[in-house]
Amino acid sequence: MTNLHTPSTRTLWIALAAQIALLAWSGWHPFDRLTWFMEVAPVLIALPLLMATHGRYPLTSLLYGALFVHAAILMLGGAYSYARVPLGFTLQDWFGLARNPYDKIGHFAQGFVPALVAREILLRGAHVQGRRMLFFIVVCICLAISACYELIEWGAAVGLGQGADEFLGTQGDPWDTQSDMGMALLGSVSALLLLGHWHDRQLGLR
């Protein structure tokens, strides 16, 4: 795709510096060190990977921006633990909710951003023929990622017992797993419907 819309090198360096600064802030005095590490682990994995592959496989500006926002959501959740993020308490008061909803924001992003990642990889590699099949496959990938994350949470609950409470962030909700996956589903569908045309333009398809 010769018309791929990618950010400038200067923009990427600024974004990288901001991510490192946010990561340092997040890990300076987190509510719980183990919870922080588990929450920001995707950032610790993805950031070096993106740096290593930028030269031979640069991503679109849209996707880099989405990944930046997702990383910020993870780092904020890691700093406070999801059930204690101040923004979540503000939203809880505004909308009269029974619990801090920041965890649901995180799971919405868990569907929204991977949908763009999967879409970009599938389109650039011409792995899927037909837009309806593309939509279906991307949503399935996002649900698989969400299910894997829930399995990781289950493993943490079994392995750490009460020590995993901050990581799980269930806040007493017996249907937390199902609602988390539901939010990821909503996030993936929202990304495809709202950003599909913009993403196509950045991929040079329109």
Side-chain angles (χ1 to χ4, degrees):
M1 294 182 180
T2 57
N3 296 322
L4 190 70
H5 186 286
T6 60
S8 66
T9 301
R10 180 174 180 272
T11 300
L12 287 174
W13 276 112
I14 292 173
L16 176 61
Q19 287 281 277
I20 293 173
L22 284 170
L23 185 62
W25 167 82
S26 174
W28 184 250
H29 285 299
F31 178 80
D32 179 79
R33 178 63 62 182
L34 179 59
T35 299
W36 175 84
F37 178 77
M38 291 191 291
E39 297 293 4
V40 304
V43 180
L44 299 176
I45 295 170
L47 198 57
L49 182 61
L50 290 172
M51 293 171 61
T53 59
H54 169 67
R56 63 179 182 274
Y57 198 87
L59 306 177
T60 59
S61 299
L62 175 62
L63 183 50
Y64 276 125
L67 289 168
F68 183 94
V69 173
H70 194 189
I73 291 172
L74 292 171
M75 289 186 283
L76 183 59
Y80 291 98
S81 87
Y82 277 82
R84 293 177 171 81
V85 173
L87 173 61
F89 287 125
T90 299
L91 294 174
Q92 183 179 0
D93 291 338
W94 282 358
F95 297 105
L97 302 175
R99 54 174 284 177
N100 186 317
Y102 191 80
D103 175 64
K104 300 310 174 191
I105 295 174
H107 284 280
F108 181 88
Q110 190 184 71
F112 194 97
V113 179
L116 296 175
V117 176
R119 191 178 192 277
E120 186 152 323
I121 292 172
L122 291 174
L123 283 174
R124 289 174 66 174
H127 299 301
V128 178
Q129 299 298 320
R131 289 309 177 100
R132 292 180 181 177
M133 182 56 68
L134 175 68
F135 193 102
F136 175 73
I137 294 296
V138 168
V139 170
C140 286
I141 290 171
C142 293
L143 281 174
I145 292 171
S146 179
C148 287
Y149 194 83
E150 295 303 324
L151 289 173
I152 292 172
E153 289 190 345
W154 170 68
V158 172
L160 300 176
Q162 292 297 319
D165 286 350
E166 298 302 332
F167 177 57
L168 297 177
T170 60
Q171 302 179 66
D173 182 5
W175 302 106
D176 186 70
T177 297
Q178 290 83 353
S179 62
D180 285 349
M181 294 185 67
M183 291 302 295
L185 172 62
L186 181 60
S188 64
V189 172
S190 297
L192 295 174
L193 293 178
L194 296 175
L195 301 182
H197 291 299
W198 185 11
H199 198 202
D200 283 346
R201 287 197 297 271
Q202 294 219 336
L203 289 169
L205 299 176
R206 289 181 181 271

